[in-house]
C-alpha cells in the first residue's frame, strides 16, 4: 500500500469514527429529549389522572347533592301542596265565618235598633214619670189644701147653722146670729162647690196614681 493510500484509509477510518461519534451524540441527545418529553407526558398524565379522580369525586358529590336537592324539591313540592290544601280549607272556613258574622252583624244591628227604640221609650217613660210625679205632687197638695178648707168651711157652716137656728127659735137676737142666717145659704153653696172641686181633684189624682202604678211604681194611699 502506498503512502497515499494509507493516508486515504486513515482519513476514511477517522471520518467513520468521527461520524459514529457525531451520530452517537445526536441519537443520545434525541433520546434524552424524547425521555424528557416522555417524563413530561407521564407527569401530565399523572396530573390528568388526579384531576380526573377529583372531577369524578366532585361529580359524585354533585350527584349526591343533586339527589338531595331533588328529594328536597319533592319535599317542598309536597309541602306546597299541603299548604295549598290548608289555604283552600282556610278560605272555605273564612267564607263560612264571614257569612256567619254577616248574619250575626245583621242580628246585632236589629237588636241595636230595638234597644235604641227601647231606650227612647224608656227616656220618654222617665220624662212622663217625672211629669206624673210633679202632677201628683200638685194634685196632692191641692186636694190636701182643699180638704182643709172644706173641713174649716164645714165647721164654720155648722156654727152658722146652729146660731141661725137659735136666732129663729128666738133664743138669740144678736146681729151676728142674724148675719149667720143671711150667709148660711152662701156658705153652704161655697162649701158644696169646694166639695165638688175636691171630688174632681181626687179623681184626677187617682188617675195619675194609676198611671204611675202602670210604670211599676207602688200605688200610693188614696188620701195624702
Amino acid at each position: 500500500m502506498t503512502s497515499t493510500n494509507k493516508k486515504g484509509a486513515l482519513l476514511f477510518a477517522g471520518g467513520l469514527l468521527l461520524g459514529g461519534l457525531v451520530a452517537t451524540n445526536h441519537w443520545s441527545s434525541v433520546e434524552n429529549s424524547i425521555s424528557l418529553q416522555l417524563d413530561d407526558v407521564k407527569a401530565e398524565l399523572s396530573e390528568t389522572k388526579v384531576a380526573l379522580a377529583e372531577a369524578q369525586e366532585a361529580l359524585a358529590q354533585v350527584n349526591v347533592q343533586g339527589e338531595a336537592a331533588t328529594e328536597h324539591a319533592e319535599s317542598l313540592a309536597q309541602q306546597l301542596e299541603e299548604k295549598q290544601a290548608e289555604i283552600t280549607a282556610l278560605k272555605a272556613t273564612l267564607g263560612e265565618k264571614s257569612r256567619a258574622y254577616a248574619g250575626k252583624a245583621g242580628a246585632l244591628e236589629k237588636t241595636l235598633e230595638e234597644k235604641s227604640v227601647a231606650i227612647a221609650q224608656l227616656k220618654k217613660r222617665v220624662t212622663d214619670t217625672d211629669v206624673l210625679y210633679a202632677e201628683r205632687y200638685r194634685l196632692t197638695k191641692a186636694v190636701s189644701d182643699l180638704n182643709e178648707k172644706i173641713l174649716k168651711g164645714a165647721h164654720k157652716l155648722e156654727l152658722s147653722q146652729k146660731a141661725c137656728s137659735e136666732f129663729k127659735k128666738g133664743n138669740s137676737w144678736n146681729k151676728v146670729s142674724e148675719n149667720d142666717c143671711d150667709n148660711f145659704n152662701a156658705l153652704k153653696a161655697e162649701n158644696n162647690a169646694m166639695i165638688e172641686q175636691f171630688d174632681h181633684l181626687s179623681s184626677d189624682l187617682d188617675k195619675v196614681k194609676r198611671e204611675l202604678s202602670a210604670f211599676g211604681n207602688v200605688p200610693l194611699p188614696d188620701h195624702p
Side-chain angles (χ1 to χ4, degrees), residues 60-75:
Q61 292 179 356
V62 168
N63 290 334
V64 172
Q65 293 176 355
E67 292 177 358
T70 301
E71 292 177 357
H72 184 60
E74 292 176 352
S75 176

Side-chain angles (χ1 to χ4, degrees), residues 168-186:
K168 288 181 178 181
K169 290 178 181 179
N171 297 328
S172 176
W173 295 95
N174 59 65
K175 187 66 175 175
V176 175
S177 297
E178 186 177 0
N179 289 337
D180 285 333
C181 288
D182 294 337
N183 295 331
F184 175 75
N185 291 330

Side-chain angles (χ1 to χ4, degrees), residues 31-80:
E31 184 179 2
N32 289 334
S33 176
I34 292 174
S35 178
L36 291 175
Q37 291 178 2
L38 182 60
D39 291 339
D40 291 340
V41 171
K42 288 180 178 179
E44 291 177 358
L45 179 60
S46 178
E47 292 176 357
T48 302
K49 288 181 178 180
V50 172
L52 178 60
E54 292 177 351
Q56 289 175 343
E57 183 179 357
L59 180 60
Q61 292 179 356
V62 168
N63 290 334
V64 172
Q65 293 176 355
E67 292 177 358
T70 301
E71 292 177 357
H72 184 60
E74 292 176 352
S75 176
L76 289 177
Q78 184 178 358
Q79 292 178 12
L80 182 61

Side-chain angles (χ1 to χ4, degrees), residues 35 61 75 89 94 98 115 127 151 197:
S35 178
Q61 292 179 356
S75 176
L94 185 61
S98 179
K115 294 294 183 183
T127 301
L151 291 176
Q197 185 181 5

Side-chain angles (χ1 to χ4, degrees), residues 65-174:
Q65 293 176 355
E67 292 177 358
T70 301
E71 292 177 357
H72 184 60
E74 292 176 352
S75 176
L76 289 177
Q78 184 178 358
Q79 292 178 12
L80 182 61
E81 290 179 0
E82 293 174 354
K83 292 297 181 183
Q84 189 64 41
E86 290 179 5
I87 291 173
T88 302
L90 184 60
K91 285 182 178 179
T93 302
L94 185 61
E96 293 176 358
K97 288 185 177 181
S98 179
R99 289 189 292 273
Y101 287 149
K104 288 183 179 179
L108 287 175
E109 288 180 359
K110 184 178 180 181
T111 302
L112 181 61
E113 183 178 356
E114 292 174 352
K115 294 294 183 183
S116 298
V117 173
I119 290 173
Q121 292 175 347
L122 182 60
K123 287 181 177 179
K124 184 178 183 302
R125 177 177 175 179
V126 170
T127 301
D128 293 343
T129 302
D130 290 341
V131 172
L132 288 174
Y133 273 123
E135 183 67 5
R136 187 192 67 176
Y137 174 79
R138 185 188 70 80
L139 290 173
T140 299
K141 188 175 186 306
V143 168
S144 178
D145 293 343
L146 189 58
N147 184 62
E148 186 176 353
K149 288 181 180 180
I150 290 173
L151 291 176
K152 289 180 179 180
H155 181 66
K156 185 177 180 181
L157 184 62
E158 183 180 359
L159 293 177
S160 179
Q161 184 180 15
K162 183 177 180 181
C164 182
S165 296
E166 292 292 330
F167 175 76
K168 288 181 178 181
K169 290 178 181 179
N171 297 328
S172 176
W173 295 95
N174 59 65

